[in-house]
Amino acid sequence: MEAESIRTESRFHSDTVTKYLLMGIAAVAVSIVFFIILFILGNSIGAMTDTGIRDLLTGSRWLPSKDLYGMLPIITGTLLVTAGAILFAVPIGVAAAIFISEVAPPRFRSVLKSISEVFAGIPSVIYGFFGLTVLVPLLRDTFPNHLLMGNSWLAGSILLGIMALPTIISVSEDALGAVPRSYREASMAMGATKWETTIKVVTPAAISGISAAVILGMGRAIGETMAVMMVCGNSAIIPDPIFDVFSRIRPITATIALEMPYVVVGSTHYSALFFLALILMIMVLAISIASKSIVNRTRKKFGEAENRPSLVDLMIAKLPIRLVNGSKSAFAVAGLFLISYLIAIAFLNPFWAAVIGISVTVAVIASSLLWLNSLKKKGISVRPRSPSEFIDCIPIKTKDIFRRILTYLLMIAFVYMGTSLFYDGTVAVMAGLAVAAVYAALMLTFRGIDSRIIQKIAHTVLLVVMAFAIFLLVYILADIFIEGLPLISWDFLTGYPKDAGRAGGIYPAIVGTLKLIVGSMAIALPLGIVTGIFLAEYAKDTPFTRTVRNSIDILNGTPSIVFGLFGMSAFVVYFGFGYSLIAGCITLGLMVLPVIIRTTEEALKAVPKELREGSMAMGATKWETTVKVVLPAAIGSVITGVILSIGRVAGETAPIMFTAVIVYQRAISHSILDPVMALPYQLFYLATEGMGSSAMQSAVATVLLIIVLSMFVLASVVRHYFDKRIKW
Amino acid sequence: MNENTKLILAVAVTAIVCIAGTYVAMTGSDGDDPSGTTLSVAGSTTVLPLMGLYQENYEKYTNVTLEVSGGGSGAGASAVINGTASFGMLSRDLKGGEIDSGLKATVIAKDGVAVIVGANAGVTDLTLEQIAKIFSGEITNWADIGGTSGAIAVNIREDGSGTRDCFDTVMKGAYAAYDIPADTNEVGSTGAMVTAVEGNPTAIGYISFGALGNLTTATDISVNGIAATTDNVVSGDYELQRNLILATMGDPSGPVLDFFNWILGPQGQQLAVKSGFIAVKPVAV
Amino acid sequence: MVIIMKNIIDIQNVNLWYGDHQALYDVSMPVQKNKVTALIGPSGCGKSTLIRSINRMNDLIDGCRVEGRMMFHGEDIYGPGTDVIKVRKKIGMIFQKPNPFPMSVRDNITYGPKIHGITDKDELEGIVEKSLREAALWDEVKDRLDKSAMALSGGQQQRLCIARTLSVSPEVILMDEPTSALDPIATSKIEDLITELVKEYTVVIVTHNMQQAARISDYTGFMYIGEMVEFDKTEKIFQSPSKEMTDRYISGRFG
């Protein structure tokens, strides 16, 4: 061996070049978010100047043809339909999660989790179709006096609840699974039954994660477009009384989707729709921040030290403590007033509601101060300086009593609200009191029953809930398949549509969907995988990297309708592509980009660092190591993520509605500047226009479902195959 | 070649085959002719089925391909103004603002708006004022106007609908206090209106004459004693009527003009009549 | 410090910081060609840090700063004009946990030569056989070169890693506790291998197993809290150490 010099021959290190190249590509992700926000903001300014923000937000009549842009009913619509969805989804979802995590035998666990994932993969237009054809008529027949047409807030919330279920189930189940075994063992070692352990130890320990699950479910519900549009009735009104679930309602997403087709670019109406999108984004952002802070707190609790304080924590740490506590107290007072005001306004007019609000707030503050005073007189010195400290001061017995009173009050209120829709006020109040009495009686009896019997009852209830959830899924799929499969023939799949799209074959729709998949992947894959590589291998904790991550999170949470809006204003109108395949592909590609980035990053991070060290120690550059060792080792998860994204792209309607699709095409065009037919939009069109036989609608739905579900199966197979081959 | 490489190669080959297959499918000789023109159309769901008929018949003779979507009359006008459609379909005349934006109308047919009721309504004739009061929420039970007792389920079209525009205008003219309550059930297209009224035996709504053929249990009623027939529209006795137009930015020219001329020719007009509309030019025998 | 002949590596007054925390204090040590140099000391004494700075693996850690000189054939490894890729080609490393790539045995061995530019198939085949023979693994794997390396036993995987390192023809092989994850039989096979390898190569080995150091090394350095306490011929260190601390460690009074 000759002694070779170790001096370098080239002037710059290839790894530095690669790093800056990758940084550049990652910066593209940031600029995309920047563009989207810019477009939305820019286009909403018109409405803000023409009508004024106050009128936009508080006006109560939305009638664009008469230049009225009051968004209050629409914003309320989103809040109400989401609240209803959460009420429906949380009990079922958490129960199912508890069942999967704590009760089900381990070998069923993965099956149940897969079922939940299948739920998540079903396109929203299919849920909407189910809602339109099954749920709405069912509701109409069940409540004929209240639901003349069946379209209602109730229908929307039920449907959204079903759609939020998978999110809530999977995140809650993860939270429950993360509770350390030692907690369970400690409880069981004291003689507690499994059920008691579950309900008194494990679930409370996981409550942060479950809250995060609920919040994430809310985010899903807020951003949902197609399903609500098809079943909510779409009247822009505030229900009266406010808890009238039989009322028609219109959320923000449906408004944008319904009116985008006939709005004139540049008009106040156009701008108002963008303002709505802005509000939607703000809501989604708030949810994302809330869920992240909860997740961080959970991690700290269980020891995954996240020593990096968030921006908000940093800012708060710099402020004087009196200011912070003072503002916390101010928030608490304001919150108190707001809650009592909102509850009162359901029953009274604004003036009296305000009076009640003020009285309640004053009463609470006065009694707290008096109570603190009495403590001082007794010699106990307590000087709570913030609301949380104040709550800590309250003796446990008092807190318990308050909690019980609150539970009963809520129970009575809910029963009252529900019953008053059917009967008059007095009957409703009696019903509320009756239910509270029954509950109290049950609580007393249960106390005496043997805990093992309680466990049996509890487990049975959970099983029933789980079975119900599975039944829902199976029913939805079966209903579509049974009606649609008979119509599927070779002619159907390869023939062209007739009669303005209402009969004939769907070949152009299938081809269109395929083209959209290929096109969007062509955009998202290179950009996404490279950015994922950057984040996993090259990124240090700099402001730039944090900006990239935050941008990706924003992209990830953006509702699909906002992408559609952006796609339309940017690609169809501004860049002049018109309704075209290219506009659709770019829009879909951007929508699915954050998923690919995140999947790639996680896949790469899962590769143990020893592999990288082994390669670098042999004189490989970082890029060689990444591409030749790390990426191949992670390829299984990356492919799985790609396949799942394909499934998503195949089923999305809102992003292509205003960018790429038409309903009737007699020949397939070549140009990417021409629009295409696509399966999800075809289904939407047929179902909402009432065109074509219901069998035809089901047939289109069946084909769409088969494509999406087979992507799922493929992804599982790939993941399984790679999991077997690579064991660390 | 080791296993990893083999697998990656397999995936890559599959991907390439899929992409290639898709593009081969697209380059199939499925009736496309590189020298042909593509015209995109959007708008009224009333005119949509007729446009479908036009498409099937016109494309037989020419190189023109039509790309059709719905959205309502408002959407048709906006699409032309926004530049996303070659021409728009409207089931009403152009509004002032649309004309200011440069749109020009070509009338292709006349159409009536029929008032339809569900199977259990029990009425066959109503006055304009009664209809207006029903839609304003002042009359709420069929029994109040001589029908079978039952709550009236009112259905209207969306804000941008040409059918709605015609209906509202006539109603406002017949009853000064005409004002639709904010919580009235709104549907987004002719087809959806048919579904809504068919689905509820006490419902009421309004559709184009051209869609009357889709009714099974719901029925149309006569208005002020005048039946909803094309003759009554021609004679002017049936008040709920409007023009079906095609809107273009500026005067039509080129392939669009050729198409319009064909529509106004005997063949096109006959198709309109076949669809339940009223011709505006002589029809082929 | 006893410096006898021309050293292939010469560590001169090296200080190292991880951020604000100093991990190496003025460490100096020679490494002689074709000899086994061992580094011993209690946990946290800096021996792994030292050995990883020789082939600049510490560069991968954020905030790591090195002062002093480390000469390799008279050129400073940390000098401004140094190509770290070439350094790592000449100075290879074996890790505590065997880390074969999830590829076939053959691909593991040809990885290094390929990234350094060798493409000729016959040449690569030759390298595969030579490296595996030198690592005393050839007979065990010659019939399964295309099977996954992950299916080998722990000891075989570690020898594969050695073969992989040898495939790029290094001059020095650094070993960071190479046998602590292996059973006694595999350990003794690797120790025999080291004794063979040192005829062609130079070996620096970190071990927390004093007996291992005594068995196979020619020179030993004892480190304690970031300082090189004593460095000398192995017999001297183990039989008559000069420093009292060395003596206390060797006799097991702390560790």
Side-chain angles (χ1 to χ4, degrees), chain A residues 109-156:
Chain A
R109 215 168 277 170
S110 56
V111 172
L112 291 172
K113 286 194 79 159
S114 312
I115 293 183
S116 156
E117 279 171 23
V118 170
F119 247 124
I122 295 182
S124 59
V125 70
I126 299 251
Y127 280 114
F129 176 61
F130 167 75
L132 204 58
T133 51
V134 175
L135 188 60
V136 163
L138 179 68
L139 286 176
R140 189 176 58 219
D141 293 334
T142 319
F143 303 108
N145 297 325
H146 288 86
L147 279 182
L148 294 181
M149 296 305 305
N151 296 337
S152 57
W153 169 11
L154 183 61

Side-chain angles (χ1 to χ4, degrees), chain A residues 207-276:
Chain A
I207 203 72
S208 301
I210 297 182
S211 324
V214 171
I215 292 185
L216 286 171
M218 272 170 71
R220 177 93 171 81
I222 285 186
E224 176 47 47
T225 311
M226 301 316 296
V228 291
M229 204 162 107
M230 289 159 97
V231 304
C232 270
N234 296 322
S235 301
I237 53 168
I238 300 182
D240 179 33
I242 201 157
F243 48 81
D244 181 8
V245 289
F246 296 120
S247 161
R248 277 178 292 275
I249 207 169
R250 186 201 275 203
I252 296 178
T253 47
T255 308
I256 299 179
L258 283 167
E259 304 190 357
M260 211 55 207
Y262 62 85
V263 85
V264 175
V265 172
S267 64
T268 315
H269 190 187
Y270 183 70
S271 176
L273 291 183
F274 275 90
F275 189 74
L276 277 175

Side-chain angles (χ1 to χ4, degrees), chain A residues 210-495:
Chain A
I210 297 182
S211 324
V214 171
I215 292 185
L216 286 171
M218 272 170 71
R220 177 93 171 81
I222 285 186
E224 176 47 47
T225 311
M226 301 316 296
V228 291
M229 204 162 107
M230 289 159 97
V231 304
C232 270
N234 296 322
S235 301
I237 53 168
I238 300 182
D240 179 33
I242 201 157
F243 48 81
D244 181 8
V245 289
F246 296 120
S247 161
R248 277 178 292 275
I249 207 169
R250 186 201 275 203
I252 296 178
T253 47
T255 308
I256 299 179
L258 283 167
E259 304 190 357
M260 211 55 207
Y262 62 85
V263 85
V264 175
V265 172
S267 64
T268 315
H269 190 187
Y270 183 70
S271 176
L273 291 183
F274 275 90
F275 189 74
L276 277 175
L278 190 64
I279 305 226
L280 196 61
M281 293 278 292
I282 294 178
M283 283 187 188
V284 167
L285 225 72
I287 287 192
S288 157
I289 295 179
S291 73
K292 268 207 272 187
S293 72
I294 292 183
V295 168
N296 260 344
R297 257 191 280 146
T298 322
R299 285 225 193 107
K300 278 195 217 139
K301 210 161 95 172
F302 287 131
E304 261 176 68
E306 275 282 318
N307 284 322
R308 276 170 311 177
S310 75
L311 211 58
V312 183
D313 288 331
L314 279 174
M315 293 195 320
I316 292 184
K318 296 224 167 116
L319 296 170
I321 205 111
R322 276 219 200 121
L323 185 63
V324 174
N325 284 336
S327 33
K328 280 196 198 167
S329 312
F331 270 123
V333 169
L336 207 55
F337 172 75
L338 215 62
I339 294 181
S340 22
Y341 176 78
L342 286 173
I343 295 181
I345 206 158
F347 304 95
L348 308 159
N349 66 18
F351 172 71
W352 285 108
V355 167
I356 299 235
I358 296 180
S359 353
V360 167
T361 316
V362 167
V364 169
I365 298 182
S367 48
S368 334
L369 288 175
L370 281 173
W371 175 68
L372 280 177
N373 227 17
S374 72
L375 284 183
K376 226 195 279 182
K377 291 217 188 96
K378 285 199 210 143
I380 308 172
S381 74
V382 271
R383 293 262 350 256
R385 278 160 306 177
S386 76
S388 29
E389 284 180 31
F390 175 72
I391 294 185
D392 286 336
C393 289
I394 306 177
I396 298 196
K397 279 220 194 104
T398 326
K399 270 197 261 192
D400 220 28
I401 297 179
F402 270 124
R403 200 177 307 152
R404 260 192 228 168
I405 295 182
L406 209 61
T407 317
Y408 280 106
L409 272 177
L410 276 173
M411 200 183 310
I412 297 178
F414 266 109
V415 176
Y416 169 81
M417 288 197 277
T419 331
S420 68
L421 294 175
F422 298 94
Y423 303 100
D424 68 52
T426 13
V427 178
V429 172
M430 309 278 294
L433 292 171
V435 170
V438 169
Y439 176 73
L442 278 175
M443 285 288 107
L444 281 173
T445 18
F446 272 133
R447 206 158 287 169
I449 299 184
D450 182 37
S451 45
R452 268 170 298 206
I453 299 186
I454 295 192
Q455 170 165 297
K456 271 219 161 56
I457 298 178
H459 282 186
T460 320
V461 168
L462 285 184
L463 183 64
V464 167
V465 170
M466 187 80 228
F468 174 66
I470 299 181
F471 165 72
L472 268 178
L473 174 67
V474 172
Y475 184 74
I476 295 177
L477 294 180
D479 183 64
I480 293 176
F481 278 124
I482 291 179
E483 217 191 334
L485 273 175
L487 215 67
I488 299 191
S489 61
W490 186 247
D491 286 331
F492 182 69
L493 293 173
T494 57

Side-chain angles (χ1 to χ4, degrees), chain A residues 61 63-66 140 147-149 151 233-237 247-248 250 258-266 269 496-500 502 507 511 514-515 518 568 572-573 578-579 581 632-633 635 639 661-670 672 674-676 681 685 687-691 721-722 725-726, chain B residues 3-4 7-8 11 18-19 22-23 25-28 30-32 38 40 45 48-49 51-52 55-56 59 65-72 74-79 81-84 151-155 158-160 164 179-186 188-192 195-197 199-200 202-203 214:
Chain A
R61 196 79 198 264
L63 209 56
S65 55
K66 297 213 172 75
R140 189 176 58 219
L147 279 182
L148 294 181
M149 296 305 305
N151 296 337
N234 296 322
S235 301
I237 53 168
S247 161
R248 277 178 292 275
R250 186 201 275 203
L258 283 167
E259 304 190 357
M260 211 55 207
Y262 62 85
V263 85
V264 175
V265 172
H269 190 187
Y496 280 80
K498 299 200 246 287
D499 196 11
R502 295 179 287 184
Y507 182 62
V511 170
L514 285 175
K515 284 199 231 184
V518 169
M568 199 205 88
V572 174
V573 176
Y579 274 60
L581 176 63
I635 202 77
I639 292 185
V661 285
I662 48 164
V663 293
Y664 185 36
Q665 189 177 39
R666 288 183 42 82
I668 297 182
S669 86
H670 279 347
I672 56 171
D674 281 338
V676 291
Y681 186 68
Y685 166 69
T688 50
E689 306 273 309
M691 304 260 187
Y721 173 72
F722 276 99
R725 288 182 69 232
I726 299 186
Chain B
E3 294 187 22
N4 251 331
L7 185 75
I8 295 176
V11 172
C18 286
I19 297 176
T22 317
Y23 274 90
M26 301 190 313
T27 46
D30 287 315
D32 72 321
T38 310
S40 49
T45 52
L48 188 58
M51 189 56 66
Q55 202 171 358
E56 279 173 29
E59 284 181 356
T65 322
L66 291 172
E67 315 259 340
V68 182
S69 46
S78 304
I81 297 177
N82 293 343
T84 53
I152 307 180
V154 180
N155 297 283
E158 81 279 10
D159 209 18
R164 170 171 171 171
D179 186 25
I180 309 174
D183 65 344
T184 314
N185 192 42
E186 203 180 272
S189 67
T190 309
T195 313
V197 177
N200 187 325
T202 57
N214 295 325

Side-chain angles (χ1 to χ4, degrees), chain C residues 76-120:
Chain C
D76 187 1
I77 291 175
Y78 281 89
T82 306
D83 183 356
V84 70
I85 304 285
K86 289 189 184 164
V87 169
R88 293 187 187 141
K89 185 169 175 295
K90 296 270 109 201
I91 305 176
M93 179 170 261
I94 309 292
F95 297 84
Q96 175 176 347
K97 185 166 175 294
N99 56 1
F101 301 138
M103 310 169 184
S104 68
V105 171
R106 175 177 283 128
D107 283 343
N108 264 279
I109 311 278
T110 55
Y111 177 77
K114 280 190 193 157
I115 57 174
H116 289 299
I118 300 179
T119 48
D120 179 57

